[in-house]
Amino acid sequence: MYEKVSSYLQRDLLFALPKSQRSLMTLVIRKILVSSTFALTDTLQSLIKRLDELLIGIIQDNRLNNEEIIYQDIDELDDTIEEWNEEEIEIDELTEEEIII
């Protein structure tokens, strides 16, 4: 178990631990690992919870970005519809001679 946890803690990319606290947290986790398997379980559960929260945040951010894109498209559609309506009014105002040309 020690080897697996150590291997995990040595990864270059580790989202579960904030970069600013990574060294300190690694030392604390290794100390817990040596002293108590039960305490390590709680610690690992906390890391899993943090990762879940990060993942949920990323999913929500993506949804917000997608919603923004959709609303931008809707705004553009509204502008396009307004332009079409203006063009229809202009066409309605044309005389028969202007339409033939």
Side-chain angles (χ1 to χ4, degrees):
M1 181 190 246
Y2 182 86
E3 289 177 15
K4 289 185 178 186
V5 172
S6 288
S7 174
Y8 174 75
L9 293 172
Q10 291 173 358
R11 290 182 182 177
D12 290 333
L13 191 59
L14 192 63
F15 292 104
L17 301 176
K19 288 182 182 181
S20 62
Q21 300 173 353
R22 185 169 179 175
S23 297
L24 176 63
M25 292 295 292
T26 299
L27 289 173
V28 170
I29 291 171
R30 285 192 176 155
K31 182 178 178 184
I32 292 170
L33 176 62
V34 172
S35 67
S36 167
T37 305
F38 181 75
L40 179 64
T41 302
D42 288 343
T43 302
L44 293 177
Q45 288 292 342
S46 296
L47 294 177
I48 290 169
K49 182 180 177 186
R50 176 175 164 72
L51 289 171
D52 284 341
E53 290 169 355
L54 286 171
L55 183 59
I56 289 169
I58 290 169
I59 291 170
Q60 289 174 345
D61 286 347
N62 284 339
R63 285 184 185 156
L64 290 176
N65 289 338
N66 289 338
E67 286 177 10
E68 287 175 10
I69 291 169
I70 290 170
Y71 286 124
Q72 287 173 356
D73 287 348
I74 290 172
D75 287 343
E76 289 176 15
L77 179 62
D78 287 343
D79 292 343
T80 304
I81 290 173
E82 284 179 27
E83 289 173 12
W84 286 349
N85 287 337
E86 289 172 4
E87 288 176 8
E88 285 179 10
I89 292 171
E90 290 174 6
I91 290 174
D92 289 343
E93 294 174 354
L94 292 175
T95 62
E96 286 182 36
E97 296 163 350
E98 292 171 324
I99 294 175
I100 294 175
I101 298 175

